[in-house]
Amino acid sequence: AINSRMGKVTVYVPEGEMVGAFGISDITLNSINLSNLRAAKTLKIENADLYSIDLGWCRSLSSLTLHGNHFSSLNIRGVNDGYQKTLLTDIDLSNNEIASVTLNDGCTIHHLDLSHNKLTELNLKDTDMLEWLSVKDNDLTTINLSYCTLMTDLDISDNNISSIVLPSENSFKRVHVEGNALTFA
């Protein structure tokens, strides 16, 4: 069930069937109940003016897009160890108001977009599979990428970063660092 400013929207699914993907864009929502989307692989809620969301039961997600909402903090973890998102590879949380984010098991994430938020810190520990990262236009002052040995694309531009830790071995093809407080010897 979806509660919007225009009323309540209910999505019906035939008995015995599972929803594999769900998307909604440019519709203002007051709330959304995702507890029955346990088998959904793709979830996309864009420009919906949401302030909170419970993703605890969505354990089958491989792609998550929550672009253009009003989240100030976001917890992507499951409700318990049995509901962790071990398939989640692509995450787009850009254009929100996120000051803190709790990611699931970082070792499955390949693409992570946290651009245009309010992050002051970001823990990328155990993000060994991360290939693409954008944290453009946040409030970061330091970033540690030592675990990100497979990363090919990085955009940390328009932050206040003065310190960056790079992996000893890396695969970078594209790196954007402009608009920071970095000094190079």
Side-chain angles (χ1 to χ4, degrees):
I2 303 166
N3 291 317
S4 76
R5 291 194 180 139
M6 303 301 289
K8 184 175 181 176
V9 176
T10 303
V11 177
Y12 293 99
V13 178
E15 188 174 334
E17 297 293 324
M18 301 296 256
V19 175
F22 182 81
I24 193 165
S25 297
D26 302 317
I27 294 176
T28 301
L29 302 176
N30 291 330
S31 66
I32 186 165
N33 180 344
L34 303 172
S35 61
N36 289 327
L37 289 183
R38 295 178 186 188
K41 295 184 184 324
T42 302
L43 177 63
K44 184 182 280 193
I45 302 174
E46 297 179 299
N47 304 315
D49 288 336
L50 280 175
Y51 285 85
S52 66
I53 192 166
D54 182 358
L55 299 169
W57 297 102
C58 302
R59 69 177 174 188
S60 297
L61 289 177
S62 62
S63 177
L64 174 66
T65 301
L66 298 174
H67 167 86
N69 287 286
H70 297 289
F71 304 117
S72 59
S73 65
L74 200 56
N75 184 345
I76 295 177
R77 296 184 63 86
V79 294
N80 59 41
D81 287 339
Y83 276 85
Q84 296 305 314
K85 290 159 193 63
T86 57
L87 305 174
L88 190 54
T89 60
D90 299 306
I91 302 172
D92 180 353
L93 304 176
S94 62
N95 292 296
N96 278 284
E97 299 161 9
I98 297 173
S100 68
V101 62
T102 303
L103 299 172
N104 193 57
D105 185 358
C107 68
T108 64
I109 302 169
H110 293 270
H111 299 91
L112 179 60
D113 189 347
L114 291 165
S115 61
H116 306 284
N117 279 293
K118 297 180 179 179
L119 291 169
T120 57
E121 62 183 343
L122 179 62
N123 182 356
L124 295 173
K125 187 174 187 274
D126 298 327
T127 55
D128 301 4
M129 301 302 285
L130 194 59
E131 299 171 20
W132 188 94
L133 173 67
S134 178
V135 290
K136 177 182 179 150
D137 193 22
N138 275 279
D139 296 319
L140 297 169
T141 57
T142 182
I143 192 162
N144 183 343
L145 302 170
S146 59
Y147 295 95
C148 306
T149 58
L150 298 179
M151 187 173 296
T152 59
D153 292 281
L154 173 66
D155 190 346
I156 59 171
S157 59
D158 301 320
N159 280 279
N160 297 312
I161 295 174
S162 60
S163 172
I164 183 171
V165 177
L166 297 172
S168 56
E169 296 179 21
N170 64 67
S171 305
F172 289 118
K173 293 180 182 171
R174 185 184 70 90
V175 177
H176 289 279
V177 298
E178 59 274 2
N180 283 292
L182 292 168
T183 56
F184 296 99

